[in-house]
Amino acid sequence: MEAIGNAGSAIGILSKDGVVLVGEKKVTSKLLQTSTSTEKMYKIDDHVACAVAGIMSDANILINTARVQAQRYTFSYQEPMPVEQLVQSLCDTKQGYTQFGGLRPFGVSFLFAGWDKNYGFQLYMSDPSGNYGGWKAAAVGANNQAAQSMLKQDYKDDISREEAVQLALKVLSKTMDSTSLTSEKLELAEIFLSSSGKVKYQVCTPDDLSKMLVKYGVTQPPAEA
């Protein structure tokens, strides 16, 4: 839990037309080469994605496990795996590591976002003990208590996806350790249904993120030269 408390925070918000995940990338040193791949958001299957807080090497193992389970289910039943079933099977793996000596638990918390035909859009949070629960809005990582209480105040039941993005960015800007939010420090991903009714997972580009931050008044527009 200590490792998760020090990791960059991640926020998930469930809206009526999708699920929004926003993560803070911790820039530990300016000498560090920032990776081009996403480090907080991972696609598990076409209909499920997750945001991660904690030890990345532990997360990679669990994400691979989840991807294999999702593919096995699709191969066996010719349909996407229900989101909760996938979360539960991953949490069973996590729980096993808390039960016996000689192993340490996975030091990672997940926010799972997904859609299935049984329950529509869903957001789940799981911790190292293997406990998980369905949430309307949740935060993991650094300052998650402060973020959680802000979400509790500002979340509305019939929130739209755009409002959810705005709320997530606002909460992150108020609870992040660093003073200013920039697109380099953020990752934003959404799960929604496309016009053809297919589930779509979309990661926001840095340019779009910068525009969003200015649009919602989180950062000031760059001064004209």
Side-chain angles (χ1 to χ4, degrees):
M1 294 305 274
E2 190 65 28
I4 294 161
N6 295 328
S9 45
I11 293 171
I13 299 178
L14 188 64
S15 69
K16 58 187 178 188
D17 54 349
V19 192
V20 174
L21 295 172
V22 182
E24 172 201 351
K25 282 199 235 184
K26 274 264 164 100
V27 185
T28 46
S29 161
K30 63 175 189 285
L31 300 175
L32 203 61
Q33 173 72 55
T34 50
S35 61
T36 47
S37 63
T38 56
E39 60 181 74
K40 299 290 285 183
M41 308 292 165
Y42 292 89
K43 182 178 177 179
I44 293 174
D45 201 351
D46 288 339
H47 66 302
V48 190
C50 67
V52 175
I55 304 167
M56 285 318 301
S57 52
D58 287 12
N60 287 332
I61 294 285
L62 287 168
I63 288 160
N64 279 342
T65 308
R67 283 172 175 165
V68 170
Q69 282 168 342
Q71 292 302 315
R72 278 188 181 144
Y73 187 97
T74 307
F75 182 71
S76 301
Y77 303 106
Q78 304 299 308
E79 64 174 22
M81 190 169 187
V83 181
E84 189 175 358
Q85 195 173 333
L86 180 58
V87 174
Q88 192 175 354
S89 69
L90 201 64
C91 288
D92 289 349
T93 306
K94 275 190 181 185
Q95 193 277 333
Y97 280 76
T98 66
Q99 202 168 339
F100 308 104
L103 299 168
R104 71 167 178 80
F106 289 98
V108 65
S109 271
F110 286 108
L111 290 173
F112 294 97
W115 183 92
D116 63 40
K117 59 178 198 254
N118 308 317
Y119 297 111
F121 291 108
Q122 295 153 74
L123 174 70
Y124 294 96
M125 181 164 79
S126 85
D127 61 27
S129 65
N131 280 325
Y132 75 92
W135 291 74
K136 290 176 179 174
V140 292
N143 308 327
N144 64 340
Q145 296 290 319
Q148 204 78 304
S149 58
M150 278 185 74
L151 287 168
K152 205 180 279 184
Q153 283 173 343
D154 296 348
Y155 182 82
K156 301 190 300 291
D157 271 346
D158 57 345
I159 193 167
S160 72
R161 202 169 82 235
E162 193 170 326
E163 289 169 332
V165 171
Q166 194 173 351
L167 174 59
L169 293 175
K170 179 184 137 189
V171 170
L172 211 51
S173 69
K174 294 238 171 79
T175 57
M176 252 169 81
D177 294 332
S178 55
T179 45
S180 63
L181 267 187
T182 60
S183 55
E184 287 90 58
K185 295 179 190 164
L186 277 186
E187 277 179 28
L188 190 146
E190 297 172 282
I191 278 200
F192 55 95
L193 290 181
S194 65
S195 50
S196 60
K198 288 188 88 153
V199 186
K200 199 166 178 336
Y201 167 70
Q202 183 175 300
V203 178
C204 200
T205 63
D207 292 348
D208 288 347
L209 253 178
S210 302
K211 285 178 193 153
M212 261 184 214
L213 290 169
V214 173
K215 179 181 167 188
Y216 297 136
V218 179
T219 57
Q220 297 304 312
E224 294 291 320

